[in-house]
Amino acid sequence: KAGVTQTPRYLIKTRGQQVTLSCSPISGHRSVSWYQQTPGQGLQFLFEYFSETQRNKGNFPGRFSGRQFSNSRSEMNVSTLELGDSALYLCASSLEGSRSGNTIYFGEGSWLTVV
Amino acid sequence: DAKTTQPTSMDCAEGRAANLPCNHSTISGNEYVYWYRQIHSQGPQYIIHGLKNNETNEMASLIITEDRKSSTLILPHATLRDTAVYYCIAGRNKLVFGAGTILRVKS
């Protein structure tokens, strides 16, 4: 079956703009998590959504937000982009999340460059 | 979520078993141990996970000590394509990635 799909794969934005990234989880998965990966900070947890509700949140400013739709697809939004937001943004999906010991699968990520 | 400690890097000869250790001494009873690997510019690839018992799948084996304070990922016959960063994660509500171990498989 199809894996976790993220779009777009690459994008370039200007400081001050906002960006929306999309994630389609594996069919049947209801938990979607987002991670940011940068060379300096490594992989950091942003938030997790389950059944359209944010269930867990990492230590990121309010400029980072997300949502999940009834079909489990998820979007994350970053407003007022800063140069430091340049990163690989990864989406991960699982049946019910890591608290249930499910296998968690990652997508290939969206590369965001802020100039 | 428990913090994990892994060696910064390891080398392994092609065809030999690669044993990657991980320390998670503060792991709580309901936290799973997950292993992922990442090849540059790609998303992390799931390898294996477990709670208490040892686990084996087509990719690897996971050995968890009885006190659950450490674990070892075993790649039975390493190939050049297994060169990657390997992450050990002990978590429940979210995956907290450390710096991982750079595994270099050499011919």
Side-chain angles (χ1 to χ4, degrees):
Chain A
K1 56 185 176 181
V4 180
T5 305
Q6 292 188 244
T7 56
R9 287 278 287 132
Y10 304 92
L11 69 165
I12 300 173
K13 290 287 188 177
T14 304
R15 270 183 302 174
Q17 286 187 315
Q18 66 94 25
V19 66
T20 299
L21 308 177
S22 179
C23 173
S24 293
I26 292 171
S27 177
H29 285 190
R30 294 192 295 164
S31 168
V32 173
S33 297
W34 288 90
Y35 292 78
Q36 181 197 64
Q37 186 172 27
T38 61
Q41 299 296 322
L43 267 154
Q44 293 186 287
F45 172 78
L46 279 158
F47 27 65
E48 179 199 7
Y49 286 88
F50 180 79
S51 293
E52 302 179 68
T53 302
Q54 188 180 85
R55 188 159 71 173
N56 212 349
K57 189 176 187 307
N59 293 324
F60 279 81
R63 299 186 297 108
F64 292 81
S65 62
R67 58 178 176 168
Q68 187 180 33
F69 302 96
S70 58
N71 61 0
S72 292
R73 193 177 68 84
S74 177
E75 289 181 347
M76 68 160 284
N77 183 278
V78 187
S79 62
T80 319
L81 284 166
E82 301 176 359
L83 295 179
D85 297 332
S86 295
L88 176 64
Y89 289 88
L90 292 157
C91 171
S93 84
S94 66
L95 284 170
E96 296 186 357
S98 59
R99 66 176 62 182
S100 301
N102 298 148
T103 302
I104 300 168
Y105 298 96
F106 282 82
E108 289 303 315
S110 292
W111 282 98
L112 170 65
T113 300
V114 182
V115 298
Chain B
D1 301 287
K3 179 176 163 52
T4 59
T5 304
Q6 299 176 252
T8 303
S9 65
M10 294 180 64
D11 291 336
C12 178
E14 190 178 21
R16 304 298 292 268
N19 296 288
L20 290 85
C22 178
N23 180 285
H24 32 80
S25 58
T26 60
I27 194 169
S28 62
N30 58 7
E31 287 182 319
Y32 289 81
V33 178
Y34 286 85
W35 282 85
Y36 286 82
R37 70 182 183 186
Q38 189 175 29
I39 298 169
H40 186 60
S41 303
Q42 297 181 16
Q45 179 189 20
Y46 169 79
I47 301 173
I48 200 166
H49 76 286
L51 184 61
K52 295 180 183 177
N53 300 323
N54 297 337
E55 303 286 346
T56 295
N57 62 21
E58 65 279 3
M59 284 184 71
S61 295
L62 172 61
I63 309 298
I64 303 175
T65 58
E66 195 169 338
D67 62 9
R68 302 211 325 124
K69 293 186 176 183
S70 65
S71 62
T72 300
L73 176 75
I74 301 172
L75 306 178
H77 305 286
T79 70
L80 297 178
R81 289 188 296 180
D82 291 323
T83 293
V85 179
Y86 286 76
Y87 296 101
C88 165
I89 302 136
R92 176 166 169 78
N93 294 315
K94 60 182 184 288
L95 301 181
V96 179
F97 286 78
T101 295
I102 300 171
L103 175 67
R104 300 184 188 92
V105 181
K106 301 183 176 182
S107 58

